Amino acid sequence: MEILLVDDHRSVVEGTQMLIESEPGMKVTIETDVYCVPDLVRLKKFDVMLFDLYMPNTNGADLTRKVLEYVPDAVILIYSGFDIAPHFNLLMESGVSGFIAKTSTREQLIQAIRCAGRKEAVIPMQSLRQLRRQEIVVPGDTESDRAVITPEEEKLLRELAKGKSNKEISKTLMISQRSLEYSLTELFQKLHVGSRVEVVKKAKSLGILPTEDLY
């Protein structure tokens, strides 16, 4: 199996490379510069790719999206030392095939790679329970005060968290700026806020957006 390991920490990738290559039939290519990854995946075929979640200038979700533009059938695992639960939906939507913790044993790491190579999903049990919420319910003082955040509004919140302008967001979400303004007004009303900064802060406090800066 040809495996690509992308992580900006040289000591981590070299140690992981040794663990994986101690298994017969597994060959690891390491890359610490995320800007080199698109060219690398176009030049060489990999059975499984492992991406760190947090890296300088990008993150595992955005890198996954970019790689899938060049290699649509790429099998990509997020290999992270951080809890992926707050980012689970975001990562699933980016196209990742599974997850493996850096605290995993050698046997768990090898098993995860083999499962991914067989096109089998690798998902932690606690994350399995989160599988794609169709809607998010925002609690209120009374039953009638409860509000539902739709998947479209969740996407809008993510774009707001990136600090994008209305023009940029409308282009990304492929809606008119007028429709975007209506959506923003409704979102502000649902979360009882009056500004972009407040809506992002409120969304993070409710767990709709991750508290860490994944964007």
Side-chain angles (χ1 to χ4, degrees), residues 4-20:
L4 173 63
L5 177 59
V6 181
D7 192 312
D8 60 300
H9 295 98
R10 173 65 63 174
S11 59
V12 171
V13 289
E14 290 180 347
T16 304
Q17 180 185 34
M18 290 179 61
L19 284 176
I20 297 173

Side-chain angles (χ1 to χ4, degrees), residues 44-185:
K44 185 174 180 179
K45 178 174 175 54
F46 295 97
D47 298 295
V48 178
M49 305 180 194
L50 277 67
F51 294 168
D52 188 19
L53 181 57
Y54 296 103
M55 293 176 284
N57 307 309
T58 193
N59 58 67
D62 288 342
L63 184 58
T64 294
R65 291 190 188 93
K66 185 171 289 293
V67 166
L68 289 173
E69 291 177 7
Y70 302 113
V71 189
D73 61 346
V75 177
I76 301 170
L77 303 181
I78 294 298
Y79 183 55
S80 176
F82 292 89
D83 179 16
I84 58 91
H87 320 302
F88 181 71
N89 287 338
L90 175 66
L91 290 166
M92 291 301 293
E93 288 173 1
S94 72
V96 301
S97 301
F99 311 90
I100 183 69
K102 288 183 178 179
T103 53
S104 298
T105 64
R106 174 189 172 279
E107 290 72 22
Q108 290 172 324
L109 177 59
I110 298 300
Q111 182 66 16
I113 293 171
R114 290 205 180 281
C115 285
R118 294 193 298 266
K119 303 295 191 296
E120 296 174 358
V122 181
I123 301 175
M125 187 66 73
Q126 65 269 25
S127 297
L128 189 63
R129 301 188 180 100
Q130 281 185 229
L131 272 172
R132 195 58 237 169
R133 302 176 303 237
Q134 292 304 309
E135 58 184 29
I136 300 168
V137 178
V138 179
D141 294 332
T142 65
E143 186 71 20
S144 60
D145 287 335
R146 298 200 322 165
V148 173
I149 303 299
T150 66
E152 290 72 24
E153 288 171 328
E154 190 181 357
K155 290 177 183 177
L156 173 54
L157 281 167
R158 290 193 203 125
E159 297 306 312
L160 290 171
K162 297 175 185 177
K164 290 186 176 181
S165 66
N166 280 13
K167 184 176 181 180
E168 291 172 322
I169 295 174
S170 62
K171 184 177 180 180
T172 299
L173 299 182
M174 294 182 289
I175 59 176
S176 69
Q177 290 195 52
R178 182 174 292 276
S179 294
L180 175 60
E181 289 168 4
Y182 288 141
S183 297
L184 282 172
T185 299

